[in-house]
Amino acid sequence: MATTAAALVLRGKRRTALRLEGRVVVLRRPAEELRIPVEAMAAVRAEGRAVEIELLGGAEPVVYRLVGVSEAGAAAFGRTVARLLPAPGGDAEPVDGPSLVDVRLLPGRNRGWHASGRRTLTAVAALFYAGLVAAVGVFGGGGQVAALLGGSVALYAGCFMVYAGARANVDDWRLKRRGITVVAQFSHYTNKRRVYTYTTATGQSHTYQTAGSGTDPIEVTYDPLRPGDARAGVSLLNTLIMVLLLAIPAFVAVMGILLVAHVVAAL
């Protein structure tokens, strides 16, 4: 009697997951989804609370690893997928496993209940701020309200620019430490932006868009954990320049804090 493999799901750290769909293992990451057919696999190993999938062929071994899963679930997943692997054949043609992997970039992150929590927090903060403005208007007058609004705008704008700049610097720093740099070839223009294609060390093809003109090859650095996320011109000097520039919005934010604090203290 034919048997059907269980539709097992393993959830790991940092919003990663493995899911078995028939004869395909789906590896989900925060920014992409990889569909790995069993025909592309050389071995599946369960090691404690981690699962490794090694692909066939390739100049270097390609291994996908999911950590932080249930130990019992990892063992069951490894046994189930191992039973699906094709038997090795001595006369069979070599299989290039990485070329069989289908990579799909996700249009947006799955925010789940976190989005609902942020909406609730935003609503509470908005009600609190509206009450604060009303209180300042009653006890302090129009001048104090104008000062409160001006300080709030400066605080919000400064914090937003600091956050955006710091996040970009952190991403660049991570790429500088663990990224892989490859040469990207010009492909075409779209919406007045240049589109380049690059191939990762595992043989996956991705695109990179940038402004400007010209068709010369460029160097891009990508994150091996998120090969579809690449940047051009990642350097320590650029990072240091951005850190220095962040001093301007940080000063604006501090002035906003002082202005708001002065208004509230005057109540």
Side-chain angles (χ1 to χ4, degrees), residues 17 37 45 49 111 118 131 133 159-160 168 179 188 191 205-206 211 224 231 235 239 251 256 266-267:
R45 293 181 288 270
R49 300 186 60 195
R111 304 179 188 274
R118 280 195 294 270
V133 172
C159 289
F160 176 79
H188 60 279
N191 296 328
S205 180
H206 296 278
R231 291 176 184 242
S235 67
T239 302
F251 175 77
L267 292 179

Side-chain angles (χ1 to χ4, degrees), residues 48-169:
R49 300 186 60 195
V51 174
E52 288 186 349
I53 298 177
E54 182 177 346
L55 302 187
L56 291 165
E60 298 180 359
V62 177
V63 178
Y64 296 112
R65 181 178 175 88
L66 185 74
V67 298
V69 301
S70 161
E71 187 170 347
F77 193 94
R79 289 193 302 267
T80 302
V81 177
R83 287 196 295 266
L84 299 176
L85 297 183
D91 298 332
E93 294 185 0
V95 176
D96 183 16
S99 65
L100 301 180
V101 177
D102 181 28
V103 181
R104 181 173 68 90
L105 297 181
L106 300 179
R109 295 182 178 179
N110 183 15
R111 304 179 188 274
W113 64 270
H114 297 284
S116 177
R118 280 195 294 270
R119 285 195 294 267
T120 302
L121 182 61
T122 301
V124 172
L127 290 175
F128 174 80
Y129 185 75
L132 179 62
V133 172
V136 172
V138 171
F139 297 103
Q144 293 292 82
V145 172
L148 175 62
L149 294 177
S152 301
V153 171
L155 174 60
Y156 176 80
C159 289
F160 176 79
M161 287 185 289
V162 168
Y163 169 77
R167 184 171 182 178
N169 273 293

Side-chain angles (χ1 to χ4, degrees), residues 13-33:
K13 296 181 179 179
R14 299 180 181 178
R15 299 193 303 276
T16 57
L18 274 177
R19 185 174 68 253
L20 179 60
E21 296 182 355
R23 295 180 60 82
V24 175
V25 173
V26 180
L27 172 59
R28 189 177 183 89
R29 293 169 170 171
E32 64 181 3
E33 183 179 88

